[in-house]
PDB file of all heavy atoms in Angstrom:
ATOM      1  N   PRO A 575      -5.872  21.359 -13.793  1.00 76.00           N
ATOM      2  CA  PRO A 575      -5.304  20.005 -13.731  1.00 76.00           C
ATOM      3  C   PRO A 575      -6.343  18.942 -14.079  1.00 76.00           C
ATOM      4  O   PRO A 575      -7.541  19.103 -13.800  1.00 76.00           O
ATOM      5  CB  PRO A 575      -4.846  19.872 -12.271  1.00 76.00           C
ATOM      6  CG  PRO A 575      -4.774  21.261 -11.750  1.00 76.00           C
ATOM      7  CD  PRO A 575      -5.799  22.042 -12.500  1.00 76.00           C
ATOM      8  N   ARG A 576      -5.885  17.862 -14.684  1.00 74.00           N
ATOM      9  CA  ARG A 576      -6.757  16.718 -14.918  1.00 74.00           C
ATOM     10  C   ARG A 576      -7.028  16.008 -13.592  1.00 74.00           C
ATOM     11  O   ARG A 576      -6.257  16.095 -12.655  1.00 74.00           O
ATOM     12  CB  ARG A 576      -6.115  15.752 -15.923  1.00 74.00           C
ATOM     13  CG  ARG A 576      -6.023  16.316 -17.328  1.00 74.00           C
ATOM     14  CD  ARG A 576      -5.451  15.294 -18.307  1.00 74.00           C
ATOM     15  NE  ARG A 576      -4.055  14.990 -18.029  1.00 74.00           N
ATOM     16  CZ  ARG A 576      -3.619  13.837 -17.573  1.00 74.00           C
ATOM     17  NH1 ARG A 576      -4.473  12.867 -17.315  1.00 74.00           N
ATOM     18  NH2 ARG A 576      -2.340  13.630 -17.343  1.00 74.00           N
ATOM     19  N   MET A 577      -8.133  15.275 -13.542  1.00 74.00           N
ATOM     20  CA  MET A 577      -8.525  14.624 -12.299  1.00 74.00           C
ATOM     21  C   MET A 577      -7.485  13.606 -11.839  1.00 74.00           C
ATOM     22  O   MET A 577      -7.311  13.377 -10.643  1.00 74.00           O
ATOM     23  CB  MET A 577      -9.877  13.931 -12.468  1.00 74.00           C
ATOM     24  CG  MET A 577     -11.075  14.863 -12.379  1.00 74.00           C
ATOM     25  SD  MET A 577     -11.161  15.776 -10.814  1.00 74.00           S
ATOM     26  CE  MET A 577     -11.212  14.446  -9.629  1.00 74.00           C
ATOM     27  N   VAL A 578      -6.786  12.983 -12.781  1.00 74.00           N
ATOM     28  CA  VAL A 578      -5.748  12.031 -12.394  1.00 74.00           C
ATOM     29  C   VAL A 578      -4.653  12.739 -11.599  1.00 74.00           C
ATOM     30  O   VAL A 578      -4.133  12.203 -10.617  1.00 74.00           O
ATOM     31  CB  VAL A 578      -5.156  11.352 -13.645  1.00 74.00           C
ATOM     32  CG1 VAL A 578      -3.938  10.513 -13.266  1.00 74.00           C
ATOM     33  CG2 VAL A 578      -6.199  10.480 -14.318  1.00 74.00           C
ATOM     34  N   GLN A 579      -4.313  13.973 -11.984  1.00 78.00           N
ATOM     35  CA  GLN A 579      -3.296  14.731 -11.253  1.00 78.00           C
ATOM     36  C   GLN A 579      -3.789  15.099  -9.860  1.00 78.00           C
ATOM     37  O   GLN A 579      -3.025  15.070  -8.886  1.00 78.00           O
ATOM     38  CB  GLN A 579      -2.932  15.987 -12.041  1.00 78.00           C
ATOM     39  CG  GLN A 579      -2.284  15.692 -13.391  1.00 78.00           C
ATOM     40  CD  GLN A 579      -2.157  16.926 -14.250  1.00 78.00           C
ATOM     41  OE1 GLN A 579      -2.799  17.941 -13.996  1.00 78.00           O
ATOM     42  NE2 GLN A 579      -1.333  16.847 -15.292  1.00 78.00           N
ATOM     43  N   ILE A 580      -5.053  15.459  -9.746  1.00 79.00           N
ATOM     44  CA  ILE A 580      -5.628  15.766  -8.434  1.00 79.00           C
ATOM     45  C   ILE A 580      -5.637  14.512  -7.556  1.00 79.00           C
ATOM     46  O   ILE A 580      -5.357  14.564  -6.351  1.00 79.00           O
ATOM     47  CB  ILE A 580      -7.046  16.332  -8.592  1.00 79.00           C
ATOM     48  CG1 ILE A 580      -7.004  17.627  -9.418  1.00 79.00           C
ATOM     49  CG2 ILE A 580      -7.688  16.587  -7.236  1.00 79.00           C
ATOM     50  CD1 ILE A 580      -8.372  18.170  -9.760  1.00 79.00           C
ATOM     51  N   GLN A 581      -5.938  13.382  -8.165  1.00 78.00           N
ATOM     52  CA  GLN A 581      -5.932  12.115  -7.429  1.00 78.00           C
ATOM     53  C   GLN A 581      -4.534  11.785  -6.913  1.00 78.00           C
ATOM     54  O   GLN A 581      -4.368  11.369  -5.760  1.00 78.00           O
ATOM     55  CB  GLN A 581      -6.432  11.006  -8.347  1.00 78.00           C
ATOM     56  CG  GLN A 581      -6.643   9.664  -7.662  1.00 78.00           C
ATOM     57  CD  GLN A 581      -7.136   8.626  -8.635  1.00 78.00           C
ATOM     58  OE1 GLN A 581      -6.564   8.443  -9.702  1.00 78.00           O
ATOM     59  NE2 GLN A 581      -8.206   7.940  -8.288  1.00 78.00           N
ATOM     60  N   ASP A 582      -3.527  11.995  -7.740  1.00 82.00           N
ATOM     61  CA  ASP A 582      -2.151  11.746  -7.311  1.00 82.00           C
ATOM     62  C   ASP A 582      -1.756  12.661  -6.154  1.00 82.00           C
ATOM     63  O   ASP A 582      -1.096  12.228  -5.203  1.00 82.00           O
ATOM     64  CB  ASP A 582      -1.195  11.958  -8.488  1.00 82.00           C
ATOM     65  CG  ASP A 582      -1.382  10.927  -9.580  1.00 82.00           C
ATOM     66  OD1 ASP A 582      -1.870   9.828  -9.274  1.00 82.00           O
ATOM     67  OD2 ASP A 582      -1.057  11.229 -10.750  1.00 82.00           O
ATOM     68  N   ALA A 583      -2.150  13.933  -6.230  1.00 82.00           N
ATOM     69  CA  ALA A 583      -1.832  14.869  -5.153  1.00 82.00           C
ATOM     70  C   ALA A 583      -2.525  14.474  -3.852  1.00 82.00           C
ATOM     71  O   ALA A 583      -1.955  14.604  -2.767  1.00 82.00           O
ATOM     72  CB  ALA A 583      -2.238  16.286  -5.555  1.00 82.00           C
ATOM     73  N   THR A 584      -3.761  13.996  -3.969  1.00 81.00           N
ATOM     74  CA  THR A 584      -4.490  13.554  -2.785  1.00 81.00           C
ATOM     75  C   THR A 584      -3.777  12.393  -2.109  1.00 81.00           C
ATOM     76  O   THR A 584      -3.605  12.357  -0.885  1.00 81.00           O
ATOM     77  CB  THR A 584      -5.922  13.140  -3.172  1.00 81.00           C
ATOM     78  OG1 THR A 584      -6.575  14.234  -3.825  1.00 81.00           O
ATOM     79  CG2 THR A 584      -6.723  12.745  -1.953  1.00 81.00           C
ATOM     80  N   LEU A 585      -3.340  11.424  -2.909  1.00 83.00           N
ATOM     81  CA  LEU A 585      -2.604  10.286  -2.359  1.00 83.00           C
ATOM     82  C   LEU A 585      -1.296  10.724  -1.714  1.00 83.00           C
ATOM     83  O   LEU A 585      -0.937  10.261  -0.630  1.00 83.00           O
ATOM     84  CB  LEU A 585      -2.316   9.276  -3.470  1.00 83.00           C
ATOM     85  CG  LEU A 585      -3.432   8.290  -3.809  1.00 83.00           C
ATOM     86  CD1 LEU A 585      -3.115   7.562  -5.100  1.00 83.00           C
ATOM     87  CD2 LEU A 585      -3.622   7.298  -2.680  1.00 83.00           C
ATOM     88  N   ALA A 586      -0.574  11.615  -2.387  1.00 87.00           N
ATOM     89  CA  ALA A 586       0.708  12.067  -1.853  1.00 87.00           C
ATOM     90  C   ALA A 586       0.537  12.773  -0.517  1.00 87.00           C
ATOM     91  O   ALA A 586       1.311  12.561   0.431  1.00 87.00           O
ATOM     92  CB  ALA A 586       1.393  12.990  -2.858  1.00 87.00           C
ATOM     93  N   GLY A 587      -0.476  13.625  -0.409  1.00 87.00           N
ATOM     94  CA  GLY A 587      -0.710  14.356   0.834  1.00 87.00           C
ATOM     95  C   GLY A 587      -1.037  13.443   1.997  1.00 87.00           C
ATOM     96  O   GLY A 587      -0.624  13.696   3.138  1.00 87.00           O
ATOM     97  N   MET A 588      -1.758  12.359   1.716  1.00 83.00           N
ATOM     98  CA  MET A 588      -2.125  11.449   2.796  1.00 83.00           C
ATOM     99  C   MET A 588      -1.002  10.484   3.130  1.00 83.00           C
ATOM    100  O   MET A 588      -0.850  10.077   4.280  1.00 83.00           O
ATOM    101  CB  MET A 588      -3.406  10.715   2.416  1.00 83.00           C
ATOM    102  CG  MET A 588      -4.607  11.641   2.407  1.00 83.00           C
ATOM    103  SD  MET A 588      -6.181  10.852   2.027  1.00 83.00           S
ATOM    104  CE  MET A 588      -6.002  10.603   0.270  1.00 83.00           C
ATOM    105  N   ALA A 589      -0.199  10.091   2.133  1.00 87.00           N
ATOM    106  CA  ALA A 589       0.964   9.256   2.425  1.00 87.00           C
ATOM    107  C   ALA A 589       1.968  10.011   3.293  1.00 87.00           C
ATOM    108  O   ALA A 589       2.678   9.414   4.109  1.00 87.00           O
ATOM    109  CB  ALA A 589       1.627   8.803   1.124  1.00 87.00           C
ATOM    110  N   MET A 590       2.030  11.325   3.125  1.00 90.00           N
ATOM    111  CA  MET A 590       2.934  12.159   3.905  1.00 90.00           C
ATOM    112  C   MET A 590       2.625  12.083   5.399  1.00 90.00           C
ATOM    113  O   MET A 590       3.516  12.183   6.246  1.00 90.00           O
ATOM    114  CB  MET A 590       2.822  13.606   3.414  1.00 90.00           C
ATOM    115  CG  MET A 590       3.754  14.583   4.078  1.00 90.00           C
ATOM    116  SD  MET A 590       5.453  14.352   3.534  1.00 90.00           S
ATOM    117  CE  MET A 590       6.236  15.805   4.254  1.00 90.00           C
TER     118      MET A 590
END
Side-chain angles (χ1 to χ4, degrees):
R576 292 183 293 111
M577 280 302 302
V578 172
Q579 296 170 344
I580 299 173
Q581 187 180 50
D582 293 335
T584 303
L585 277 168
M588 291 182 285
M590 183 73 171

